[in-house]
């Protein structure tokens, strides 16, 4: 009997650390910071502009990636995208913009 209790205690203590890992992980998204004109990675938000994690100001617009310029561009408003297919093109090279791309480098 005492052996079973001992095993139970081992199992319980062994599982203790897992509860933290099960908490939902914040989804990261690439945004275009209209203030610094740079792409930043921040917690995904349903509100736009989203809050910049460093300044705390609402300056983050969803970003789209241009593979030709290898740069993130600020995504136009959704209404603009629906009205004008040309809006989803890179303002510099007119190349197609993608929703996914390499994460921007943090810092300088
Ligand atoms: Zn481009």
């Amino acid at each position: 009997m005492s052996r079973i209790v001992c095993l139970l205690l081992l199992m319980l203590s062994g599982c203790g650390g897992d509860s933290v890992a099960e908490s939902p992980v914040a989804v990261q998204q690439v945004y275009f910071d209209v203030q610094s004109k740079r792409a930043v990675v921040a917690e995904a938000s349903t509100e736009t502009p989203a809050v910049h994690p460093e300044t705390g100001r609402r300056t983050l617009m969803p970003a789209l990636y241009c593979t030709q310029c290898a740069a993130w561009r600020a995504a136009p408003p959704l209404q603009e995208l629906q009205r004008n297919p040309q809006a989803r093109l890179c303002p510099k090279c007119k190349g197609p913009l993608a929703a996914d791309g390499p994460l921007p480098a943090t810092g300088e």
Side-chain angles (χ1 to χ4, degrees):
M1 193 64 176
S2 64
R3 190 166 162 227
I4 292 170
V5 172
C6 192
L7 277 171
L8 275 171
L9 281 173
L10 268 174
M11 283 168 65
L12 285 172
S13 63
C15 293
D18 290 345
S19 57
V20 178
E22 283 168 17
S23 61
V25 178
V27 180
Q28 301 277 287
Q29 185 182 337
V30 179
Y31 285 98
F32 187 84
D33 181 16
V34 293
Q35 196 174 38
S36 66
K37 308 286 183 203
R38 284 169 52 191
V40 293
V41 180
E43 212 173 289
S45 170
T46 51
E47 294 176 52
T48 50
V51 176
H52 193 296
E54 286 171 24
T55 64
R57 302 172 65 175
R58 290 189 173 276
T59 57
L60 301 185
M61 296 300 288
L64 293 173
Y65 188 74
C66 175
T67 51
Q68 296 188 53
C69 298
W72 287 92
R73 306 290 182 207
L78 197 61
Q79 300 97 307
E80 181 72 15
L81 284 172
Q82 289 169 340
R83 196 160 51 90
N84 177 18
Q86 297 292 313
R88 206 188 163 93
L89 296 178
C90 174
K92 291 213 172 145
C93 71
K94 303 295 175 193
L97 294 172
D100 293 307
L103 292 181
T106 52
E108 283 302 310

